Amino acid sequence: MRFFGLKSCDTCRKARKALAEAGHDPVVIDVRADGIAAADRATIIVEFGDQAINKASTTWRGLDDADKARDPAELLAEHPTLMKRPVIEHDGRWTIGWKPDVQAQYLS
């Protein structure tokens, strides 16, 4: 299991704690410190499209309209913190966010 997120993100911290309590020990990739590998970024875009971009983030609000209109893959390459978090890869399946449907997949 791989966990893409931010160490400073409250949702990511809650998700990591819940995963640990459920017996998971994910490899954590801090997208700010570690970046997102090109292959992983491409897979995230294929899996989630523009839903991979967190349009409620401070980073997004700081972009001008021309940047906001750019390809999501380019945006994530330049601004990895724009990624909606967490993104979890487990056994070849990818999930995004930490809503009840995602929690049910990993915590039950």
Side-chain angles (χ1 to χ4, degrees), residues 84-101:
K84 188 176 282 188
R85 307 174 293 271
V87 170
I88 301 171
E89 182 273 323
H90 183 61
D91 292 336
R93 292 187 350 203
W94 293 77
T95 58
I96 194 166
W98 192 244
K99 300 287 185 199
D101 62 323

Side-chain angles (χ1 to χ4, degrees), residues 23-62:
H24 297 286
D25 185 23
V27 173
V28 176
I29 296 112
D30 184 301
V31 299
R32 179 179 288 131
D34 306 322
I36 307 169
D40 290 328
R41 188 172 48 252
T43 301
I44 289 167
I45 295 300
V46 166
E47 291 286 329
F48 307 110
D50 65 354
Q51 301 250 335
I53 303 295
N54 180 1
K55 295 183 179 174
S57 73
T58 304
T59 305
W60 177 260
R61 290 190 304 266

